[in-house]
Every structure is written in structure tokens, then in C-alpha cells.
């Protein structure tokens, strides 16, 4: 296979991950980098042998040099994707774009339009599509092993310490500086679930909140920083326990410790916890993203899917149960229990991949699978090697935004308004309530209960 040349915009953890895989396989070679942090930029350039004149401190300087490589990896912060993605697409780069595409729909449309306008391949890093586990699940579903898929239950176990690290103390703690948590963390999951069904949902509802990591849950004796806190030894969210425990473990030093300090010493960790954001009490931060959220989707044929994202778990692989007309799948990210209703037989299918669920572990093999597929697609000119394109990624992002908007409607004010709805919009078949209420009454009740996104109205809200 022809070696693909790469320019990397953003030399942090995600940019390093894709660049290292490309070099390790020999399928790609990094020839340029844009990274504003001088230390990180120098380390990145040294690791990949990038010439000094091709190590830029700003992506605009890289773009001003013209097209330097076959493809670009864009791994900047969430809110800094759009301008480099559109500009580099206009220069003819194929693009591997870290998720999410962008933090709002308008900018994501700009990115998708740029990819189409320039005829380039653009792969959003929905790495779950590329794991060995996903390949097995999809093959079982597409082969009809469990009949028609009727319902799915899916859990994203964020992990108590991961929530504290990334979404309470870390970069993704606030919606106004990053993105809502469902977009920042779980657009992976929504994309994956839509991939399994093979089509978008027609209706989406969601509920969620920040229920624990807030000042009202702070113990009276707690200090503003863990190092000053008498409760730290018994606190499940102790920063010293987490980050000092990373020392000596290469995977944990790569992540999460690299976000806290670039140095690998006890002194450096303690200094960062005294002065930086990662040493703060989880009840005294400026976070506002949710710590748990539920999303419910309905598909055109009546199939349903419920998704739970929760901080209050160990950090593990996703758990999924898939209910079909002829069988049942129960998966833990590594293996699948398959039950055949026709024979009563049970089988355990192992996916032969023991990689862990975190970024340090490569997301269960997804990081490697995505990088390999992208490089192969660029080298061969065969976009079919990618498991989604810009248009499909935009579609699944729109499902996330629909779910994010759904909880904004106030809850019903009285118990009498809480009876279940038989239809959320008048555009589908609407059965009357058991008490004989009319469709007009049904519609009025719907307005009190909240809003549900309707695909039949091209992503509009039904009311």
C-alpha cells in the first residue's frame, strides 16, 4: 500500500494516538504539525522526525503553506474544529476529524458541505464503529441471527473517576467552553446505535441532569482543594489518589496524567494539584455538564432503543442488550452471549480483542481500526473502506442535538399530566387515549409534557 503523508493539527493525546498508529504500521508518515504549545510541538516534531520549518504554532500557518500532505488529522479542542476543517478541505486534504464534528449544527453543516464541495474523504473519529467487537455485532445482526431487531438497551459507563477527571475538573466540564456532555462524550454511542439499526430514528426524547457534582452536595468539612481536605483519604474522587497512582504505569501516564502535568514525578503531580484545575474539590468546580442522561429513540418500524450515560459506574466497556424476534444478544464490549429462540441454544462469541475501553487503551481497538481504514481509503482512493462519511456523521450528530434539546422543556406541573403518551406527534399514526381524548387534546397534553424531535418534519420539533 502506498504510504500516506499526514499533517497533524493538534499534537495532544488524540493527535499522537493516530500519528503513532500510522507510523507503527508504516501506512502513514507525519510530515507536518501545527501545535500552539511549544513543548508539546517540539516533542511531537522530534518523535516523528518533522523538519523544523514544518512544525507550526498555528494551523493557519500550516494552511498558508499550501497542501503539504495527502491528508490531515484535526485533533484540536472541540470548539476549534470548523475553521481548519473547512480550510484544509478547500486545499484538497482528506481529513480525519476528531469527534464531535463541531459543537453546533451550523458549523457541522459547513464542514460536511466543504467535504462534498471539494470531493475529499472526511472521516469523523467515531471509533466504536471500527472495533472488532462492533464488526461481530453488526455481522450477527445483518445475517439475521436474532431476526428483526425490536429493542436495544445500551449503557455507557463513564466511570466515577473519569467523570471527575474530564467532566468536573477537566476540559469538558462546561457547555459554554466545550460542549454538552452527550455531544462531547456520547456522540460515540448515539452514532454506534444508529449504525447498528442501519437507519436514523424518527423520534428522540431525553432526560438528564447534574445531580451530584455540585455545591449543594459538598460535605461541610470539605476544603476547596484535595491536598488541604481532611476528607480526602475517604473521598471517592480524591485527586492525589488518582494521579499519584498513575506514576509508573505507562498507559496511565499517557492518560489521564498527561492532562495534569507533562512531568512524571511525585513533586510535579503535587504541584499541579496545588495550583491547577485537577486538584480542585469536585464539589467546588465551575462545571455544568450532566452526570447522567437517558436517551430514548424510536425508529420507523416501531423498534426502540434506550441509552443510559452515567458517571456512577466503574470505567468499563459499554454494555448492550439487543432484543430480536428470533434471538437475543448480550454484549460487554469483548464477548457476546447469543440466544437462539428457535432452538434454545446459547453460544458465547468472543471478539479476540482484549484492549480496554479508555483512550489510553485505544478504545477497544477502535483507534487502530479507524486509523488503518482511513489510511487505506486515502491510499487506494476507495471511500467505501470507511464506515461513515461526513453526511452520515452529520445525521447522527443531529440526533444528539435533538436529544440535548429535549430536556429543556419544563416538566409537567401536575400528576394528572403525567399519563403516558401513545404518540408524540400528529405526523405519525396517533391512537386516542383510553379516556377518549381527542387528537387535539392529545396535542395540547403533548405541549405540556415536553417536546420530541420528529424526523418526519426534517428534524423539527413537534408541538
Amino acid at each position: 500500500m502506498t504510504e500516506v503523508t499526514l499533517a497533524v493539527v493538534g499534537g495532544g493525546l488524540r493527535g499522537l494516538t493516530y500519528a503513532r498508529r500510522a507510523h507503527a504500521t508504516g501506512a502513514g508518515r507525519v510530515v507536518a504539525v501545527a501545535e500552539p504549545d511549544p513543548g508539546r510541538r517540539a516533542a511531537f516534531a522530534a518523535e516523528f522526525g518533522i523538519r523544523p520549518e514544518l512544525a507550526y504554532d498555528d494551523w493557519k500557518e500550516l494552511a498558508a503553506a499550501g497542501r503539504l500532505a495527502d491528508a490531515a488529522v484535526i485533533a484540536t479542542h472541540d470548539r476549534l474544529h470548523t475553521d481548519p476543517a473547512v480550510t484544509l478541505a478547500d486545499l484538497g486534504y482528506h481529513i480525519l476529524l476528531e469527534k464531535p464534528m463541531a459543537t453546533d449544527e451550523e458549523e457541522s453543516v459547513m464542514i460536511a458541505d466543504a467535504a462534498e464541495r471539494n470531493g475529499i474523504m472526511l472521516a469523523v473519529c467515531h471509533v466504536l464503529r471500527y472495533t472488532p467487537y462492533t464488526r461481530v455485532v453488526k455481522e450477527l445482526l445483518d445475517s439475521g441471527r436474532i431476526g428483526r431487531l425490536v429493542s436495544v438497551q445500551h449503557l455507557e459507563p463513564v466511570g466515577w473517576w473519569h467523570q471527575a477527571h474530564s467532566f468536573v475538573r477537566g476540559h469538558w466540564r462546561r457547555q459554554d467552553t466545550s460542549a454538552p456532555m452527550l455531544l462531547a462524550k456520547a456522540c460515540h454511542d448515539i452514532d454506534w446505535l444508529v449504525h447498528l439499526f442501519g437507519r436514523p430514528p424518527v423520534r428522540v426524547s431525553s432526560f438528564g441532569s447534574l445531580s451530584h457534582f455540585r455545591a449543594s452536595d459538598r460535605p461541610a468539612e470539605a476544603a476547596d482543594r484535595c491536598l488541604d481536605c481532611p476528607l480526602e483519604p475517604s473521598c471517592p474522587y480524591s485527586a492525589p489518589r488518582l494521579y499519584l497512582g498513575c506514576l509508573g504505569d505507562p498507559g496511565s501516564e499517557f492518560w489521564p496524567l498527561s492532562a495534569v502535568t507533562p512531568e512524571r514525578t511525585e513533586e510535579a503531580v503535587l504541584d499541579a494539584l496545588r495550583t491547577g484545575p485537577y486538584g480542585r474539590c469536585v464539589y467546588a468546580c465551575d462545571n455544568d455538564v450532566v452526570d447522567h442522561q437517558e436517551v430514548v429513540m424510536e425508529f420507523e418500524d416501531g423498534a426502540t432503543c434506550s441509552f443510559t450515560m452515567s458517571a456512577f459506574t466503574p470505567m468499563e466497556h459499554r454494555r448492550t442488550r439487543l432484543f430480536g424476534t428470533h434471538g437475543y444478544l448480550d454484549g460487554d464490549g469483548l464477548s457476546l452471549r447469543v440466544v437462539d429462540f428457535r432452538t434454545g441454544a446459547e453460544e458465547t462469541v468472543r471478539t479476540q480483542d482484549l484492549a480496554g475501553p479508555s483512550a489510553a487503551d485505544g478504545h477497544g481497538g477502535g483507534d487502530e481500526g479507524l486509523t488503518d481504514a482511513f489510511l487505506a481509503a486515502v491510499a487506494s482512493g476507495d471511500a467505501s473502506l470507511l464506515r461513515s462519511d461526513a453526511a452520515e456523521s452529520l445525521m447522527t450528530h443531529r440526533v444528539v442535538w435533538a436529544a440535548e434539546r429535549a430536556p429543556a422543556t419544563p416538566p409537567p406541573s401536575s400528576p394528572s399530566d403525567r399519563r403516558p403518551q401513545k404518540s408524540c406527534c400528529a405526523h405519525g399514526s396517533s391512537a386516542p387515549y383510553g379516556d377518549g381524548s381527542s387528537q387535539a387534546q392529545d396535542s395540547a397534553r403533548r405541549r405540556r409534557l415536553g417536546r420530541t424531535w420528529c424526523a418526519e418534519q426534517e428534524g423539527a420539533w413537534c408541538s
Side-chain angles (χ1 to χ4, degrees):
M1 184 174 70
T2 304
E3 182 183 64
V4 174
T5 54
L6 296 170
V8 176
V9 179
L13 185 147
R14 299 309 294 158
L16 273 172
T17 296
Y18 303 126
R20 285 174 175 170
R21 177 63 180 182
H23 271 237
T25 62
R29 177 169 56 90
V30 179
V31 299
V33 64
E35 166 56 50
D37 183 272
R40 186 179 288 170
R41 182 172 66 251
F44 194 101
E47 178 171 346
F48 298 103
I50 299 170
R51 301 201 312 268
E53 65 270 22
L54 296 178
Y56 302 94
D57 62 7
D58 190 289
W59 70 266
K60 294 177 183 177
E61 295 178 0
L62 184 149
R67 186 177 178 186
L68 302 172
D70 300 313
V73 177
I74 298 177
T76 55
H77 201 271
D78 297 352
R79 287 183 174 269
L80 303 176
H81 288 179
T82 306
D83 288 344
V86 172
T87 302
L88 296 180
D90 286 341
L91 288 172
Y93 283 89
H94 301 291
I95 294 174
L96 184 63
L97 177 64
E98 185 52 64
K99 61 82 186 169
M101 292 181 78
T103 54
D104 66 45
E105 184 171 359
E106 181 180 0
E107 293 193 1
S108 295
V109 170
M110 291 170 59
I111 293 171
D113 286 348
E116 182 179 5
R117 178 174 70 248
N118 292 288
I120 57 105
M121 286 181 266
L122 187 146
V124 176
C125 296
H126 288 304
V127 297
L128 295 185
R129 290 191 181 221
Y130 294 86
T131 65
Y133 173 79
T134 297
R135 185 174 62 251
V136 173
V137 173
K138 189 65 171 161
E139 287 172 354
L140 289 170
L141 291 175
D142 291 348
S143 69
R145 185 73 177 272
I146 65 169
R148 179 171 57 85
L149 187 58
V150 173
S151 184
V152 173
Q153 295 176 347
H154 181 69
L155 169 67
E156 155 66 297
V158 177
W160 82 96
W161 66 264
H162 184 198
Q163 181 80 23
H165 171 73
S166 294
F167 304 102
V168 178
R169 297 174 173 128
H171 292 304
W172 294 273
R173 67 186 181 272
R174 292 187 59 82
Q175 297 186 57
D176 60 354
T177 58
S178 177
M181 189 170 170
L182 196 65
L183 183 64
K185 181 72 177 81
C187 66
H188 275 318
D189 298 85
I190 299 297
D191 177 81
W192 187 75
L193 291 165
V194 172
H195 176 56
L196 295 190
F197 276 94
R199 58 195 183 278
V202 295
R203 295 192 288 186
V204 179
S205 293
S206 183
F207 305 89
S209 67
L210 175 59
S211 65
H212 182 61
F213 300 99
R214 55 190 185 182
S216 60
D217 278 31
R218 176 176 175 164
E221 303 88 349
D224 286 345
R225 288 193 172 270
C226 287
L227 292 178
D228 303 321
C229 186
L231 304 180
E232 179 272 323
S234 62
C235 179
Y237 308 105
S238 163
R241 183 188 310 123
L242 170 59
Y243 299 118
L244 290 173
C246 293
L247 293 172
D249 178 351
S252 297
E253 288 182 346
F254 181 59
W255 186 85
L257 189 60
S258 62
V260 180
T261 173
E263 300 180 41
R264 305 293 184 259
T265 66
E266 181 175 340
E267 181 181 3
V269 172
L270 292 175
D271 182 62
L273 297 187
R274 287 189 192 96
T275 60
Y278 292 94
R280 293 182 295 176
C281 173
V282 294
Y283 307 108
C285 293
D286 59 344
N287 56 300
D288 65 4
V289 300
V290 301
D291 53 27
H292 70 290
Q293 190 160 345
E294 308 283 332
V295 178
V296 179
M297 296 180 279
E298 184 178 28
F299 294 81
E300 190 172 15
D301 62 353
T304 57
C305 176
S306 63
F307 165 54
T308 299
M309 175 179 67
S310 178
F312 308 107
T313 66
M315 186 178 178
E316 299 177 334
H317 283 287
R318 277 88 167 168
R319 304 295 182 94
T320 312
R321 292 174 173 172
L322 301 105
F323 307 89
T325 55
H326 292 164
Y328 166 80
L329 298 179
D330 189 348
D332 62 4
L334 293 173
S335 63
L336 291 150
R337 177 186 173 212
V338 185
V339 180
D340 189 323
F341 298 165
R342 292 159 288 201
T343 65
E346 294 194 19
E347 177 187 0
T348 298
V349 179
R350 304 195 183 277
T351 62
Q352 305 301 314
D353 195 302
L354 300 179
S358 75
D361 302 315
H363 293 112
D367 291 349
E368 294 89 346
L370 167 64
T371 307
D372 294 350
F374 178 74
L375 294 173
V378 172
S380 64
D382 183 1
S384 69
L385 297 175
L386 299 170
R387 295 180 189 170
S388 61
D389 58 14
E392 185 164 359
S393 292
L394 176 60
M395 177 268 290
T396 65
H397 275 58
R398 281 174 163 155
V399 177
V400 175
W401 287 312
E404 278 295 338
R405 289 190 292 267
T409 302
S413 57
S414 67
S416 64
D417 283 340
R418 296 180 185 270
R419 67 183 73 196
Q421 296 172 281
K422 293 188 178 180
S423 173
C424 79
C425 74
H427 311 112
S429 58
S430 178
Y433 278 83
D435 59 6
S437 59
S438 69
Q439 190 167 12
Q441 291 169 314
D442 182 16
S443 180
R445 183 181 289 119
R446 266 199 316 279
R447 284 194 289 272
R448 293 194 299 271
L449 284 171
R451 301 178 299 173
T452 300
W453 180 75
C454 177
E456 296 180 39
Q457 287 289 295
E458 298 182 351
W461 287 100
C462 302
S463 58

